[in-house]
Amino acid sequence: MNSQLWMGLGLPLAGTVLGSALVFVLRGAIPQKTEKAMLGFAAGVMTAASIFSLILPAMEQSGWIPATAGFLIGIGFLLLLDEIVPHMHVMSEEAEGLPTPWSRTTKLFFAITLHNLPEGMAVGVVLAGVLDGSTAMSAAAALALSLGIALQNVPEGAVLSMPLHADGMSKSRAFWFGALSGVIEPVGAGLTILCRSWIQPFLPWLLAFAAGAMLYVVVEELVPQSQAGKHSNIGTVAFALGFAAMMVLDSAL
């Protein structure tokens, strides 16, 4: 179990690092079609992970009331962070959250970090359930979730590091900004695991909470960005492929 635990913690960060490293391989800004495909794929993976790895196990453990309540609280939590934390999305020139003198680079970093927060929570909650012997979750299912999140973190890492380099930042610095945005995932997951004795009674609520937080990111940011402007069908097809990939992972593992 120890090796699976470390893989579960490390895979999402590895995906972000790999995506950020694309700044050394690709030249210039990410083509619009490619960016739409990346964002759509990430949205599909996160949607399927929320359903199959989080909401369904929560309902299996305690029924629909805690799952529904946890889901709505998760949506509300990300909505609150979205209103408070200063950030700026890659395809936007308008800052969100509380006004600050922070640079555009810092706000871009916090935007991706906000995306990664619920994913780290999701991995931590599922791994905590496995370690505590929850019948609704298995080590293989936790590994599938971590691998799925790692897959969708590849485009997210690239979508941060590439625009930063296009804005004039050096490739190495853009890579480190992208990679560091994913650190919150293993840290958040690890802290959740350490506190598992306290959170065990609330596990179904927390599973649904993480699902709500992830789906907030999907609906608020990833889907609109993948559908903006021309070639929206590319984002739609990529969403379907991402959803299918996560569904296969969840079933196969």
Side-chain angles (χ1 to χ4, degrees):
M1 181 63 205
N2 284 339
S3 61
Q4 291 174 317
L5 174 62
W6 286 112
M7 286 183 66
L9 291 173
L11 278 173
L13 176 59
T16 303
V17 172
L18 178 60
S20 301
L22 291 176
V23 73
F24 296 115
V25 178
L26 304 176
R27 294 185 177 182
I30 302 176
Q32 186 182 53
K33 292 182 180 180
T34 303
E35 188 167 6
K36 286 181 178 296
M38 287 180 166
L39 292 168
F41 185 86
V45 170
M46 288 181 70
T47 300
S50 298
I51 295 170
F52 297 115
S53 300
L54 300 172
I55 293 177
L56 291 181
M59 294 181 70
E60 182 180 334
Q61 286 192 41
S62 62
W64 64 270
I65 294 178
T68 303
F71 175 81
L72 294 176
I73 294 171
I75 292 283
F77 177 69
L78 256 290
L79 176 61
L80 178 63
L81 289 184
D82 204 29
E83 292 293 324
I84 293 176
V85 178
H87 62 285
M88 179 183 291
H89 299 288
V90 173
M91 298 179 68
S92 172
E93 293 298 324
E94 185 176 344
E96 299 181 25
L98 296 176
T100 67
W102 295 354
S103 67
R104 181 175 186 271
T105 298
T106 302
K107 291 177 181 178
L108 285 171
F109 174 82
F110 272 94
I112 299 297
T113 303
L114 275 179
H115 288 188
N116 290 336
L117 175 62
E119 297 158 19
M121 293 166 53
V123 171
V125 170
V126 171
L127 286 173
V130 172
L131 290 172
D132 281 343
S134 170
T135 57
M137 287 167 284
S138 65
L143 182 60
L145 175 63
S146 296
L147 184 56
I149 289 176
L151 284 176
Q152 71 90 27
N153 278 352
V154 174
E156 280 201 354
V159 165
L160 177 58
S161 65
M162 294 292 292
L164 290 179
H165 175 56
D167 284 349
M169 186 179 288
S170 69
K171 288 187 175 183
S172 59
R173 192 164 178 231
F175 163 74
W176 282 113
F177 263 88
L180 287 173
S181 71
V183 170
I184 192 172
E185 293 189 17
V187 171
L191 290 174
T192 303
I193 292 170
L194 290 175
C195 298
R196 68 181 187 274
S197 60
W198 300 340
I199 68 173
Q200 202 281 332
F202 308 102
L203 191 59
W205 292 75
L206 292 172
L207 287 168
F209 177 94
M214 287 175 65
L215 286 177
Y216 177 90
V217 172
V218 170
V219 177
E220 173 72 11
E221 304 298 340
L222 297 182
V223 169
Q225 289 176 15
S226 71
Q227 297 295 307
K230 298 180 180 179
H231 312 297
S232 60
N233 58 330
I234 294 175
T236 302
V237 172
F239 178 95
L241 293 174
F243 190 97
M246 186 62 214
M247 188 163 51
V248 169
L249 277 177
D250 191 76
S251 300
L253 296 179

